[in-house]
Amino acid sequence: MVCCRKTSNRFRFIVNASECTGNETILTGASTLSLIRIRTVVNKTDNIDHTFRFFKMELLAGENDMKTEVKEHGCIMKFNFSKVYRNSRLQVEDHRLVNMFKSGDLVISEVFAGVGPFALPAAKNKGCTVFANNLNPCSNQYLCLNIEIQKLGGKVIPFNLDGRHYIQKLLSKLNE
């Protein structure tokens, strides 16, 4: 069951049935999902407890394929939702921060870059050089793919280290 709540001209999809208030439309069946361009509906079954910060999920409807592609702030990002942590609620704050930067005059270090929702727009839209790190090797793999898709090689420099080691490595380079 997927609850669908209309807010202005957009729909908000609620997978967790406990969030439904009774004022939503209930969506079921593959034909309904295809009408609104949804391929996969999942339910998060656990809290984040893994070193690499992703959720266990159960398939509720559609294809058993967790790979997705999103476009935020002019950047296309591909990733496997079941193997990386991605919180779309952070995109407003990411956008606000990127808009504060002046074009081309910053070097940024991001310790927990994920698949690049902050690093990619900072480099692409503001010309910043971004050192982007993530401990999760799968996140780092998708970050590298997304850098390639945006043609940002040399502008976004990916690292796959523990946050503490990443910071130590950057500080030692600065002190050289």
Side-chain angles (χ1 to χ4, degrees):
M1 171 179 74
V2 178
C3 298
C4 178
R5 181 179 301 151
K6 186 166 184 171
T7 57
S8 67
N9 290 334
R10 306 184 106 189
F11 286 95
R12 176 175 178 249
F13 297 96
I14 304 166
V15 175
N16 187 345
S18 66
E19 292 184 37
C20 297
T21 64
N23 297 325
E24 296 88 7
T25 303
I26 305 301
L27 303 177
T28 57
S31 61
T32 303
L33 296 177
S34 66
L35 287 174
I36 53 175
R37 297 182 59 197
I38 295 176
R39 291 182 314 133
T40 305
V41 179
V42 299
N43 183 32
K44 295 176 184 174
T45 59
D46 205 355
N47 293 326
I48 300 173
D49 63 352
H50 192 276
T51 302
F52 298 137
R53 297 181 46 90
F54 55 82
F55 298 95
K56 291 180 184 170
M57 296 182 229
E58 68 175 322
L59 179 68
L60 297 178
E63 301 171 22
N64 190 10
D65 179 10
M66 306 301 170
K67 291 180 182 173
T68 189
E69 181 178 298
V70 297
K71 185 173 183 180
E72 291 180 12
H73 314 297
C75 295
I76 295 169
M77 290 172 283
K78 294 182 178 187
F79 56 94
N80 183 326
F81 201 78
S82 68
K83 298 191 186 240
V84 304
Y85 177 77
R86 175 73 187 108
N87 185 344
S88 60
R89 291 183 226 162
L90 297 175
Q91 68 179 306
V92 173
E93 181 66 7
D94 290 345
H95 188 64
R96 184 186 72 78
L97 288 171
V98 169
N99 282 339
M100 291 172 50
F101 302 150
K102 294 195 176 18
S103 292
D105 67 350
L106 287 175
V107 175
I108 299 165
S109 174
E110 187 175 14
V111 181
F112 309 106
V115 297
F118 175 76
L120 298 172
K124 184 174 182 175
N125 301 335
K126 295 294 184 167
C128 302
T129 298
V130 183
F131 295 96
N133 179 67
N134 203 291
L135 178 61
N136 181 340
C138 195
S139 287
N140 193 62
Q141 179 182 10
Y142 280 106
L143 174 61
C144 291
L145 173 66
N146 295 331
I147 291 167
E148 187 178 314
I149 290 169
Q150 307 309 313
K151 297 177 175 62
L152 292 171
K155 292 301 285 177
V156 179
I157 297 94
F159 291 84
N160 184 212
L161 299 169
D162 174 80
R164 177 179 293 134
H165 295 112
Y166 166 72
I167 291 169
Q168 289 170 345
K169 185 172 185 165
L170 284 183
L171 288 175
S172 70
K173 286 198 179 272
L174 288 173
N175 292 328
E176 290 178 354

